[in-house]
Amino acid sequence: MSSPVSVRCILESEVSQHHSKESCWVLVSGRVYDVTGFLRRHPGGEALILHQAGNDVSREMEGPPHRHSENARRWMEQYYIGDLIKDTAEPQMVRERRKATESEQTKEDQTGASRCSSVNTETDLVNWTKPLLWQVGHLGEKYDEWVHQPVDRPIRLFHSNFIEACSKTSWYMVPAVWLPMVLYLSWYCFTLLAQGDTRLFTTFTSEYTILVHKYSFPFLFLLGMFIWSLVEYLIHRFLFHMRPPASNYYLITLHFLLHGQHHKSPFDGSRLVFPPIPASFVIGGFYILVRVLMPLGLGLSVFVGGLCGYVVYDMIHYYLHYGCPKKGSYLYGLKAYHVKHHFEHQRLGFGITTRFWDHPFNSLIPEETFGKDH
Protein backbone atom coordinates (compact mmCIF):
# COMPACT_ATOMS: atom_id res chain seq x y z
CA MET A 1 0.00 0.00 0.00
CA SER A 2 1.30 3.42 -0.88
CA SER A 3 1.98 5.99 1.77
CA PRO A 4 -0.65 8.71 2.27
CA VAL A 5 1.54 11.28 0.52
CA SER A 6 1.49 9.26 -2.71
CA VAL A 7 -2.26 8.53 -2.72
CA ARG A 8 -3.96 10.27 -5.61
CA CYS A 9 -7.13 12.19 -4.72
CA ILE A 10 -9.85 11.97 -7.36
CA LEU A 11 -12.95 14.16 -7.48
CA GLU A 12 -16.43 12.66 -7.89
CA SER A 13 -16.95 14.69 -11.07
CA GLU A 14 -13.77 13.20 -12.54
CA VAL A 15 -14.87 9.64 -11.82
CA SER A 16 -18.25 10.21 -13.47
CA GLN A 17 -16.54 11.13 -16.74
CA HIS A 18 -14.96 7.69 -17.13
CA HIS A 19 -17.83 5.45 -18.18
CA SER A 20 -16.90 4.11 -21.62
CA LYS A 21 -14.89 1.28 -23.15
CA GLU A 22 -12.06 3.71 -23.75
CA SER A 23 -11.90 4.71 -20.07
CA CYS A 24 -13.86 2.88 -17.40
CA TRP A 25 -13.53 3.61 -13.67
CA VAL A 26 -15.40 2.08 -10.74
CA LEU A 27 -15.50 2.64 -6.99
CA VAL A 28 -15.19 0.22 -4.11
CA SER A 29 -15.68 1.77 -0.67
CA GLY A 30 -14.23 5.13 -1.69
CA ARG A 31 -11.30 3.65 -3.64
CA VAL A 32 -11.09 4.34 -7.38
CA TYR A 33 -10.11 1.65 -9.89
CA ASP A 34 -9.35 2.07 -13.59
CA VAL A 35 -10.63 -1.24 -15.01
CA THR A 36 -10.45 -0.27 -18.69
CA GLY A 37 -7.88 -2.97 -19.43
CA PHE A 38 -9.95 -5.59 -17.62
CA LEU A 39 -13.22 -5.12 -19.52
CA ARG A 40 -12.70 -7.85 -22.11
CA ARG A 41 -11.23 -10.19 -19.51
CA HIS A 42 -14.18 -10.01 -17.15
CA PRO A 43 -15.83 -13.45 -17.09
CA GLY A 44 -19.28 -11.88 -16.82
CA GLY A 45 -18.69 -9.75 -19.90
CA GLU A 46 -17.75 -6.11 -20.30
CA ALA A 47 -21.41 -4.95 -20.27
CA LEU A 48 -21.76 -5.76 -16.56
CA ILE A 49 -18.86 -3.47 -15.67
CA LEU A 50 -19.85 -0.71 -18.10
CA HIS A 51 -23.33 -0.68 -16.58
CA GLN A 52 -21.73 0.22 -13.22
CA ALA A 53 -19.02 2.53 -14.59
CA GLY A 54 -18.44 5.52 -12.35
CA ASN A 55 -20.42 3.93 -9.53
CA ASP A 56 -19.65 2.04 -6.34
CA VAL A 57 -19.59 -1.72 -7.00
CA SER A 58 -19.05 -2.82 -3.40
CA ARG A 59 -22.41 -4.63 -3.28
CA GLU A 60 -21.69 -6.42 -6.56
CA MET A 61 -18.30 -7.53 -5.21
CA GLU A 62 -19.92 -8.98 -2.10
CA GLY A 63 -22.89 -10.52 -3.91
CA PRO A 64 -25.44 -11.91 -4.36
CA PRO A 65 -25.60 -13.35 -6.92
CA HIS A 66 -21.82 -13.84 -6.96
CA ARG A 67 -19.35 -13.10 -4.20
CA HIS A 68 -15.92 -12.43 -5.64
CA SER A 69 -13.05 -14.55 -4.34
CA GLU A 70 -10.04 -13.25 -2.41
CA ASN A 71 -7.88 -13.74 -5.50
CA ALA A 72 -10.32 -11.64 -7.54
CA ARG A 73 -10.14 -8.87 -4.93
CA ARG A 74 -6.37 -9.09 -4.85
CA TRP A 75 -6.34 -8.92 -8.64
CA MET A 76 -8.50 -5.79 -8.61
CA GLU A 77 -5.98 -3.95 -6.45
CA GLN A 78 -3.71 -3.85 -9.49
CA TYR A 79 -6.11 -1.31 -11.01
CA TYR A 80 -6.26 0.98 -7.97
CA ILE A 81 -5.49 4.59 -8.93
CA GLY A 82 -6.56 6.68 -5.94
CA ASP A 83 -9.14 7.70 -3.33
CA LEU A 84 -12.42 9.49 -3.90
CA ILE A 85 -13.00 12.99 -2.50
CA LYS A 86 -16.12 15.14 -2.59
CA ASP A 87 -16.41 17.91 -5.16
CA THR A 88 -17.59 20.31 -2.45
CA ALA A 89 -14.42 20.20 -0.39
CA GLU A 90 -10.83 20.29 -1.51
CA PRO A 91 -8.67 21.78 1.28
CA GLN A 92 -5.16 23.03 0.75
CA MET A 93 -3.59 19.80 1.99
CA VAL A 94 -5.59 17.77 -0.51
CA ARG A 95 -4.68 20.11 -3.33
CA GLU A 96 -1.02 19.71 -2.42
CA ARG A 97 -1.38 15.93 -2.36
CA ARG A 98 -3.09 15.98 -5.76
CA LYS A 99 -0.35 18.20 -7.17
CA ALA A 100 2.40 15.93 -5.77
CA THR A 101 0.84 12.71 -7.04
CA GLU A 102 0.10 14.19 -10.44
CA SER A 103 3.79 15.09 -10.67
CA GLU A 104 4.71 11.51 -9.74
CA GLN A 105 2.26 10.21 -12.33
CA THR A 106 3.88 12.36 -15.01
CA LYS A 107 7.27 10.87 -14.15
CA GLU A 108 5.84 7.34 -14.34
CA ASP A 109 4.28 8.02 -17.73
CA GLN A 110 7.56 9.45 -19.04
CA THR A 111 9.52 6.39 -17.92
CA GLY A 112 6.90 3.91 -19.09
CA ALA A 113 6.23 2.62 -15.57
CA SER A 114 2.75 1.29 -14.81
CA ARG A 115 0.67 3.31 -12.40
CA CYS A 116 -0.93 0.09 -11.26
CA SER A 117 1.97 -2.02 -10.08
CA SER A 118 1.29 -5.73 -10.59
CA VAL A 119 3.30 -6.90 -7.60
CA ASN A 120 5.11 -5.35 -4.68
CA THR A 121 8.67 -6.01 -5.80
CA GLU A 122 10.01 -5.16 -2.34
CA THR A 123 7.99 -7.76 -0.44
CA ASP A 124 7.32 -10.48 -3.02
CA LEU A 125 8.97 -13.85 -2.52
CA VAL A 126 10.88 -13.71 -5.80
CA ASN A 127 13.01 -11.12 -7.57
CA TRP A 128 10.99 -10.02 -10.61
CA THR A 129 14.00 -8.34 -12.20
CA LYS A 130 15.55 -11.78 -12.77
CA PRO A 131 14.24 -14.94 -14.52
CA LEU A 132 11.76 -16.69 -12.25
CA LEU A 133 12.25 -20.30 -13.32
CA TRP A 134 15.40 -20.77 -11.26
CA GLN A 135 13.95 -19.02 -8.20
CA VAL A 136 10.60 -20.71 -7.61
CA GLY A 137 12.12 -24.03 -6.53
CA HIS A 138 13.49 -22.31 -3.43
CA LEU A 139 10.01 -21.26 -2.26
CA GLY A 140 9.37 -24.71 -0.80
CA GLU A 141 6.12 -24.81 1.20
CA LYS A 142 5.28 -21.26 0.13
CA TYR A 143 5.26 -22.13 -3.58
CA ASP A 144 1.70 -23.49 -3.83
CA GLU A 145 0.12 -20.44 -2.22
CA TRP A 146 2.36 -18.02 -4.14
CA VAL A 147 1.75 -19.53 -7.58
CA HIS A 148 -2.04 -19.39 -7.10
CA GLN A 149 -2.05 -15.67 -6.33
CA PRO A 150 -2.29 -14.34 -9.90
CA VAL A 151 -0.72 -11.08 -11.08
CA ASP A 152 -1.12 -9.04 -14.24
CA ARG A 153 2.39 -8.75 -15.58
CA PRO A 154 4.61 -10.68 -18.02
CA ILE A 155 6.95 -13.37 -16.75
CA ARG A 156 10.53 -14.00 -17.81
CA LEU A 157 11.61 -17.61 -17.38
CA PHE A 158 15.12 -17.92 -18.84
CA HIS A 159 18.39 -15.96 -18.87
CA SER A 160 19.01 -16.73 -22.54
CA ASN A 161 17.16 -14.41 -24.91
CA PHE A 162 16.93 -17.17 -27.52
CA ILE A 163 15.47 -19.77 -25.17
CA GLU A 164 13.14 -17.16 -23.70
CA ALA A 165 11.89 -16.31 -27.19
CA CYS A 166 11.28 -20.00 -27.90
CA SER A 167 9.16 -20.27 -24.75
CA LYS A 168 6.71 -17.64 -26.04
CA THR A 169 4.40 -17.50 -29.02
CA SER A 170 1.52 -15.52 -30.46
CA TRP A 171 -1.86 -17.26 -30.64
CA TYR A 172 -1.96 -17.28 -34.45
CA MET A 173 1.21 -19.38 -34.67
CA VAL A 174 -0.69 -22.47 -33.54
CA PRO A 175 -3.14 -22.60 -36.47
CA ALA A 176 -0.47 -21.27 -38.85
CA VAL A 177 1.87 -24.17 -38.05
CA TRP A 178 -0.50 -27.06 -37.39
CA LEU A 179 -3.60 -26.51 -39.56
CA PRO A 180 -1.68 -27.06 -42.83
CA MET A 181 -0.50 -30.38 -41.38
CA VAL A 182 -4.08 -31.25 -40.39
CA LEU A 183 -5.28 -30.56 -43.95
CA TYR A 184 -2.44 -32.50 -45.57
CA LEU A 185 -2.73 -35.52 -43.28
CA SER A 186 -6.52 -35.56 -43.69
CA TRP A 187 -6.11 -35.80 -47.47
CA TYR A 188 -3.33 -38.37 -47.11
CA CYS A 189 -5.37 -40.56 -44.72
CA PHE A 190 -8.43 -40.51 -46.96
CA THR A 191 -6.43 -41.52 -50.03
CA LEU A 192 -4.63 -44.18 -48.01
CA LEU A 193 -7.90 -45.69 -46.79
CA ALA A 194 -9.28 -45.49 -50.34
CA GLN A 195 -6.61 -47.97 -51.47
CA GLY A 196 -8.42 -50.67 -49.48
CA ASP A 197 -5.28 -51.99 -47.79
CA THR A 198 -6.05 -50.91 -44.21
CA ARG A 199 -7.48 -53.79 -42.19
CA LEU A 200 -7.99 -54.50 -38.50
CA PHE A 201 -6.72 -57.58 -36.62
CA THR A 202 -4.09 -58.50 -39.22
CA THR A 203 -1.66 -59.12 -36.37
CA PHE A 204 -3.80 -61.99 -35.04
CA THR A 205 -5.41 -63.54 -38.10
CA SER A 206 -5.59 -63.32 -41.88
CA GLU A 207 -9.08 -64.82 -42.19
CA TYR A 208 -11.23 -62.50 -40.08
CA THR A 209 -9.74 -59.09 -40.75
CA ILE A 210 -12.01 -56.04 -41.09
CA LEU A 211 -11.59 -53.52 -43.88
CA VAL A 212 -11.37 -49.88 -42.75
CA HIS A 213 -13.43 -48.12 -45.42
CA LYS A 214 -12.46 -44.68 -46.71
CA TYR A 215 -15.83 -43.27 -45.64
CA SER A 216 -14.99 -44.14 -42.04
CA PHE A 217 -12.39 -41.37 -42.02
CA PRO A 218 -14.75 -38.64 -40.66
CA PHE A 219 -15.71 -40.91 -37.76
CA LEU A 220 -12.08 -41.77 -37.03
CA PHE A 221 -11.25 -38.05 -37.18
CA LEU A 222 -13.98 -37.26 -34.64
CA LEU A 223 -12.82 -40.19 -32.51
CA GLY A 224 -9.36 -38.61 -32.45
CA MET A 225 -10.84 -35.28 -31.31
CA PHE A 226 -12.81 -37.07 -28.59
CA ILE A 227 -9.71 -38.95 -27.41
CA TRP A 228 -7.80 -35.68 -27.35
CA SER A 229 -10.43 -34.11 -25.07
CA LEU A 230 -9.71 -36.90 -22.57
CA VAL A 231 -5.94 -36.55 -22.98
CA GLU A 232 -6.30 -32.78 -22.54
CA TYR A 233 -8.17 -33.32 -19.27
CA LEU A 234 -5.72 -35.91 -17.93
CA ILE A 235 -2.68 -33.76 -18.75
CA HIS A 236 -4.24 -30.68 -17.20
CA ARG A 237 -5.31 -32.43 -14.02
CA PHE A 238 -2.56 -34.93 -13.28
CA LEU A 239 0.51 -33.30 -14.87
CA PHE A 240 -0.11 -29.55 -14.95
CA HIS A 241 -1.79 -29.61 -11.53
CA MET A 242 0.45 -32.08 -9.78
CA ARG A 243 1.43 -31.05 -6.26
CA PRO A 244 5.23 -31.01 -6.22
CA PRO A 245 6.77 -31.88 -2.85
CA ALA A 246 7.85 -28.75 -1.01
CA SER A 247 11.32 -30.24 -0.57
CA ASN A 248 11.88 -31.03 -4.25
CA TYR A 249 13.42 -28.04 -6.04
CA TYR A 250 13.36 -29.73 -9.46
CA LEU A 251 9.69 -30.81 -9.40
CA ILE A 252 8.62 -27.33 -8.33
CA THR A 253 10.69 -25.86 -11.15
CA LEU A 254 9.17 -28.35 -13.62
CA HIS A 255 5.64 -27.55 -12.44
CA PHE A 256 6.22 -23.82 -12.85
CA LEU A 257 7.64 -24.34 -16.33
CA LEU A 258 4.74 -26.54 -17.47
CA HIS A 259 1.80 -24.68 -15.97
CA GLY A 260 2.57 -22.76 -12.78
CA GLN A 261 3.71 -19.69 -14.70
CA HIS A 262 0.30 -19.61 -16.45
CA HIS A 263 -1.54 -19.57 -13.12
CA LYS A 264 0.78 -16.89 -11.78
CA SER A 265 0.23 -14.65 -14.82
CA PRO A 266 -2.97 -15.87 -16.51
CA PHE A 267 -3.19 -12.92 -18.91
CA ASP A 268 0.34 -13.04 -20.27
CA GLY A 269 -0.73 -13.27 -23.92
CA SER A 270 2.61 -14.65 -25.09
CA ARG A 271 2.26 -17.76 -22.90
CA LEU A 272 -1.38 -18.76 -23.39
CA VAL A 273 -0.73 -21.27 -26.20
CA PHE A 274 1.90 -23.97 -26.55
CA PRO A 275 4.96 -22.78 -28.56
CA PRO A 276 5.42 -24.84 -31.76
CA ILE A 277 8.98 -26.02 -30.98
CA PRO A 278 8.26 -27.80 -27.67
CA ALA A 279 4.81 -28.79 -28.97
CA SER A 280 6.43 -30.64 -31.86
CA PHE A 281 8.16 -33.03 -29.44
CA VAL A 282 4.89 -33.82 -27.64
CA ILE A 283 2.97 -34.23 -30.89
CA GLY A 284 5.78 -36.40 -32.25
CA GLY A 285 5.45 -38.64 -29.20
CA PHE A 286 1.73 -39.12 -29.81
CA TYR A 287 2.42 -39.86 -33.47
CA ILE A 288 4.87 -42.62 -32.56
CA LEU A 289 2.35 -44.05 -30.08
CA VAL A 290 -0.50 -44.37 -32.58
CA ARG A 291 1.86 -45.82 -35.20
CA VAL A 292 2.89 -48.55 -32.77
CA LEU A 293 -0.66 -49.34 -31.62
CA MET A 294 -2.64 -49.08 -34.89
CA PRO A 295 -2.35 -49.79 -38.62
CA LEU A 296 -1.02 -46.82 -40.59
CA GLY A 297 -4.27 -45.57 -42.14
CA LEU A 298 -6.29 -46.07 -38.98
CA GLY A 299 -3.67 -44.62 -36.65
CA LEU A 300 -3.03 -41.54 -38.79
CA SER A 301 -6.76 -40.85 -39.10
CA VAL A 302 -7.16 -40.86 -35.34
CA PHE A 303 -3.94 -38.89 -34.91
CA VAL A 304 -4.95 -36.08 -37.27
CA GLY A 305 -8.29 -35.75 -35.47
CA GLY A 306 -6.42 -35.45 -32.20
CA LEU A 307 -4.09 -32.85 -33.73
CA CYS A 308 -7.09 -30.81 -34.85
CA GLY A 309 -8.52 -31.18 -31.33
CA TYR A 310 -5.30 -29.74 -29.93
CA VAL A 311 -5.51 -26.69 -32.23
CA VAL A 312 -9.15 -26.12 -31.21
CA TYR A 313 -8.18 -26.51 -27.55
CA ASP A 314 -5.39 -23.90 -27.74
CA MET A 315 -7.59 -21.43 -29.64
CA ILE A 316 -10.48 -21.81 -27.18
CA HIS A 317 -8.10 -21.46 -24.24
CA TYR A 318 -6.75 -18.18 -25.63
CA TYR A 319 -10.29 -16.93 -26.28
CA LEU A 320 -11.42 -17.78 -22.76
CA HIS A 321 -8.75 -15.39 -21.45
CA TYR A 322 -9.03 -12.58 -23.98
CA GLY A 323 -12.36 -13.02 -25.75
CA CYS A 324 -15.72 -11.51 -24.88
CA PRO A 325 -18.34 -14.17 -25.70
CA LYS A 326 -22.02 -13.34 -25.89
CA LYS A 327 -23.87 -13.79 -22.62
CA GLY A 328 -25.67 -17.09 -22.44
CA SER A 329 -23.52 -18.73 -25.13
CA TYR A 330 -21.52 -21.93 -24.67
CA LEU A 331 -18.24 -20.02 -24.62
CA TYR A 332 -19.64 -17.54 -22.11
CA GLY A 333 -20.24 -20.42 -19.70
CA LEU A 334 -16.81 -21.88 -20.40
CA LYS A 335 -15.13 -18.52 -19.76
CA ALA A 336 -16.83 -18.13 -16.38
CA TYR A 337 -15.95 -21.75 -15.58
CA HIS A 338 -12.28 -21.33 -16.51
CA VAL A 339 -11.89 -18.05 -14.62
CA LYS A 340 -13.32 -19.79 -11.55
CA HIS A 341 -10.61 -22.41 -12.01
CA HIS A 342 -7.91 -19.73 -12.04
CA PHE A 343 -9.12 -17.49 -9.25
CA GLU A 344 -11.07 -19.68 -6.84
CA HIS A 345 -11.11 -23.43 -7.55
CA GLN A 346 -7.62 -24.34 -8.74
CA ARG A 347 -8.15 -27.99 -7.77
CA LEU A 348 -11.37 -28.30 -9.77
CA GLY A 349 -12.61 -27.48 -13.27
CA PHE A 350 -9.85 -28.98 -15.41
CA GLY A 351 -11.85 -29.07 -18.65
CA ILE A 352 -11.01 -26.32 -21.17
CA THR A 353 -13.03 -27.07 -24.30
CA THR A 354 -15.69 -29.03 -22.42
CA ARG A 355 -16.77 -29.84 -18.88
CA PHE A 356 -17.67 -33.40 -19.93
CA TRP A 357 -14.73 -35.15 -18.26
CA ASP A 358 -15.13 -33.19 -15.02
CA HIS A 359 -18.32 -35.20 -14.39
CA PRO A 360 -16.96 -38.78 -14.36
CA PHE A 361 -13.72 -37.69 -12.67
CA ASN A 362 -15.64 -35.79 -9.97
CA SER A 363 -13.84 -32.48 -10.49
CA LEU A 364 -16.77 -30.29 -11.50
CA ILE A 365 -16.89 -26.78 -10.03
CA PRO A 366 -20.16 -26.50 -8.03
CA GLU A 367 -22.87 -24.63 -9.95
CA GLU A 368 -23.94 -22.67 -6.87
CA THR A 369 -20.64 -20.78 -6.91
CA PHE A 370 -21.55 -19.06 -10.18
CA GLY A 371 -24.71 -17.23 -9.16
CA LYS A 372 -27.85 -16.72 -11.22
CA ASP A 373 -26.13 -14.72 -13.98
CA HIS A 374 -24.12 -17.78 -14.97
Side-chain angles (χ1 to χ4, degrees):
M1 183 70 66
S2 301
S3 62
V5 175
S6 63
V7 172
R8 180 183 176 190
C9 297
I10 303 174
L11 295 171
E12 286 179 315
S13 57
E14 185 179 358
V15 175
S16 64
Q17 297 173 9
H18 297 268
H19 51 76
S20 67
K21 290 183 179 181
E22 290 71 31
S23 183
C24 181
W25 293 5
V26 295
L27 300 167
V28 177
S29 302
R31 293 166 63 85
V32 185
Y33 299 85
D34 182 353
V35 295
T36 309
F38 183 67
L39 287 176
R40 292 185 62 83
R41 304 176 184 181
H42 185 238
E46 60 186 27
L48 289 180
I49 299 182
L50 287 172
H51 181 68
Q52 297 292 336
N55 298 319
D56 193 311
V57 296
S58 300
R59 189 188 68 81
E60 285 73 15
M61 293 291 291
E62 289 292 335
H66 168 60
R67 187 179 189 279
H68 289 68
S69 66
E70 290 304 315
N71 268 338
R73 296 167 187 272
R74 186 182 297 109
W75 181 275
M76 189 171 183
E77 287 305 310
Q78 297 175 109
Y79 305 109
Y80 169 72
I81 58 174
D83 290 343
L84 183 71
I85 59 173
K86 300 290 184 180
D87 289 339
T88 55
E90 190 179 29
Q92 181 66 25
M93 182 181 68
V94 173
R95 286 198 296 269
E96 291 176 355
R97 286 169 57 186
R98 284 172 58 83
K99 184 177 180 181
T101 54
E102 286 171 1
S103 176
E104 292 176 6
Q105 182 62 49
T106 301
K107 292 179 181 178
E108 287 182 351
D109 292 340
Q110 292 173 346
T111 59
S114 172
R115 64 185 178 185
C116 304
S117 178
S118 299
V119 294
N120 189 329
T121 55
E122 295 181 359
T123 60
D124 200 63
L125 298 177
V126 297
N127 184 349
W128 285 85
T129 64
K130 298 180 179 180
L132 298 189
L133 186 60
W134 317 117
Q135 300 182 58
V136 295
H138 297 295
L139 296 181
E141 295 180 353
K142 298 178 181 179
Y143 170 74
D144 190 68
E145 179 182 1
W146 175 85
V147 80
H148 289 123
Q149 293 178 353
V151 297
D152 189 9
R153 64 171 295 161
I155 284 178
R156 184 179 180 91
L157 294 177
F158 300 97
H159 291 281
S160 167
N161 291 332
F162 175 75
I163 299 178
E164 178 70 10
C166 292
S167 72
K168 299 179 178 182
T169 189
S170 300
W171 68 268
Y172 53 80
M173 289 301 297
V174 173
V177 171
W178 299 114
L179 280 185
M181 183 174 291
V182 169
L183 295 175
Y184 170 75
L185 287 179
S186 295
W187 169 82
Y188 178 75
C189 289
F190 186 80
T191 56
L192 189 64
L193 294 178
Q195 295 175 7
D197 297 329
T198 304
R199 292 179 172 273
L200 294 176
F201 310 126
T202 55
T203 305
F204 308 104
T205 177
S206 59
E207 297 181 5
Y208 301 102
T209 58
I210 300 175
L211 175 68
V212 181
H213 200 276
K214 65 180 180 180
Y215 293 123
S216 65
F217 172 74
F219 302 99
L220 296 174
F221 187 94
L222 291 176
L223 175 62
M225 294 190 70
F226 180 75
I227 293 174
W228 163 256
S229 70
L230 173 60
V231 172
E232 163 205 324
Y233 175 90
L234 295 176
I235 291 176
H236 191 192
R237 178 173 183 177
F238 296 107
L239 179 60
F240 289 173
H241 279 271
M242 65 175 177
R243 293 195 179 191
S247 59
N248 196 314
Y249 170 90
Y250 297 102
L251 281 182
I252 292 176
T253 301
L254 177 63
H255 177 266
F256 190 72
L257 176 65
L258 292 176
H259 198 60
Q261 45 89 10
H262 173 55
H263 269 260
K264 188 61 182 177
S265 183
F267 292 106
D268 185 345
S270 64
R271 298 189 185 278
L272 281 176
V273 296
F274 207 11
I277 293 178
S280 63
F281 291 99
V282 178
I283 292 172
F286 282 116
Y287 171 78
I288 294 173
L289 181 64
V290 297
R291 287 288 289 112
V292 170
L293 296 178
M294 304 177 188
L296 178 60
L298 177 65
L300 276 182
S301 299
V302 173
F303 170 79
V304 71
L307 182 59
C308 183
Y310 157 68
V311 175
V312 172
Y313 151 79
D314 248 358
M315 293 301 93
I316 288 181
H317 184 218
Y318 187 91
Y319 185 76
L320 295 185
H321 282 263
Y322 275 99
C324 190
K326 183 180 179 181
K327 187 174 182 180
S329 65
Y330 177 73
L331 289 176
Y332 179 89
L334 273 184
K335 182 180 177 74
Y337 191 75
H338 190 58
V339 171
K340 276 282 185 179
H341 166 74
H342 271 281
F343 285 86
E344 194 168 350
H345 295 283
Q346 293 89 356
R347 303 301 179 188
L348 296 172
F350 300 103
I352 304 295
T353 58
T354 175
R355 306 185 209 179
F356 176 82
W357 296 108
D358 280 315
H359 288 274
F361 284 97
N362 197 30
S363 58
L364 195 70
I365 297 176
E367 284 289 333
E368 58 267 19
T369 66
F370 289 94
K372 65 181 181 182
D373 287 339
H374 173 65

